[in-house]
Amino acid sequence: MEHGPPGSASERRQRILEATERLLRRYGPAKTTVADIAREAEIAVGAVYLEFASKDAIVEELSSGQHRAVMAAMRAAAAEDLPFCDRLRAVFDARARAFLELAGSGAHACDLVHCQSRAVKAAHARFLDEERALLRDLIERGARAGELDAADPELAARALLTAYASFSPPWLFQISREEVAAVLSAVHQIVLYGLAGRDPARKPAR
């Protein structure tokens, strides 16, 4: 994206964010400095501090943006006109796809959703709270509709997130997309089967 000289504070802020994101995708948070960011954004180091208190503040805002994109995909899946068990499946599929899209956008692109940076950990913690709330809401509505069997929706949401914990960084970035799809499908069959309230002791109709 082309920019003229940074004018307003909002323009300067966006310039800093875009410059930082480019650097982070190439080098990661640990090897990117405020001086690097200022040089990439073609502004003075002092101008960076006019917008952000620290490098961590910039990284946290960028990480929050990436997590918001994943959450938006999950919410869109949750809003589909499907049985609630299928909606839960769609939510976890959307979550995996959104995270996987990051993998091809730079050597360190995934560091914005998983690394040792305190800023990224803070953004990720907020994301975990939001996704748990989304799942709890789906489970509550599914239970009221008689489609899901969950006496404690909060506990069920936490249990689902534990069961699906592998389908997020870093494990998600360490195997092929084909294997992700196959294993995710198998976990859907095992985990969501029970939540749908089907009796495993009941023999299928012949």
Side-chain angles (χ1 to χ4, degrees):
M1 181 182 296
E2 295 294 329
H3 288 281
S8 69
S10 61
E11 291 171 345
R12 181 172 58 204
R13 189 179 185 85
Q14 187 60 30
R15 191 183 186 103
I16 292 166
L17 289 169
E18 291 175 1
T20 306
E21 186 166 14
R22 289 193 297 272
L23 291 171
L24 294 181
R25 289 180 185 278
R26 293 199 295 268
Y27 307 115
K31 294 185 178 180
T32 299
T33 67
V34 172
D36 294 331
I37 293 166
R39 191 179 308 112
E40 180 75 12
E42 299 179 346
I43 60 176
V45 170
V48 176
Y49 287 110
L50 289 174
E51 300 297 331
F52 297 94
S54 64
K55 182 186 79 173
D56 273 357
I58 308 173
V59 172
E60 186 168 346
E61 183 158 333
L62 288 170
S63 180
S64 294
Q66 295 289 359
H67 283 100
R68 281 194 299 271
V70 177
M71 184 55 59
M74 294 172 70
R75 287 197 171 107
E80 292 183 22
D81 186 16
L82 296 169
F84 282 95
C85 193
D86 293 337
R87 287 194 214 187
L88 288 167
R89 178 174 187 147
V91 164
F92 283 111
D93 285 344
R95 177 179 184 255
R97 284 195 303 270
F99 276 129
L100 283 171
E101 285 177 7
L102 288 173
S105 56
H108 291 273
C110 300
D111 287 355
L112 281 174
V113 292
H114 178 79
C115 73
Q116 294 305 309
S117 162
R118 288 176 299 177
V120 173
K121 287 183 176 181
H124 190 66
R126 290 192 297 273
F127 168 78
L128 293 177
D129 287 341
E130 289 183 36
E131 69 171 356
R132 188 176 66 252
L134 173 68
L135 292 174
R136 184 180 61 236
D137 176 67
L138 268 182
I139 293 168
E140 284 176 347
R141 291 192 287 134
R144 286 198 300 270
E147 294 182 25
L148 301 179
D149 184 10
D152 186 339
E154 171 67 21
L155 182 60
R158 287 165 49 199
L160 280 180
L161 287 172
T162 300
Y164 284 88
S166 292
F167 299 98
S168 57
W171 181 83
L172 198 63
F173 301 142
Q174 297 170 358
I175 64 174
S176 70
R177 287 177 179 247
E178 292 75 15
E179 186 173 355
V180 169
V183 177
L184 185 55
S185 179
V187 172
H188 288 328
Q189 294 300 320
I190 296 168
V191 175
L192 296 181
Y193 176 90
L195 190 60
R198 300 169 191 162
D199 183 357
R202 186 175 61 200
K203 294 182 179 180
R206 293 183 179 274

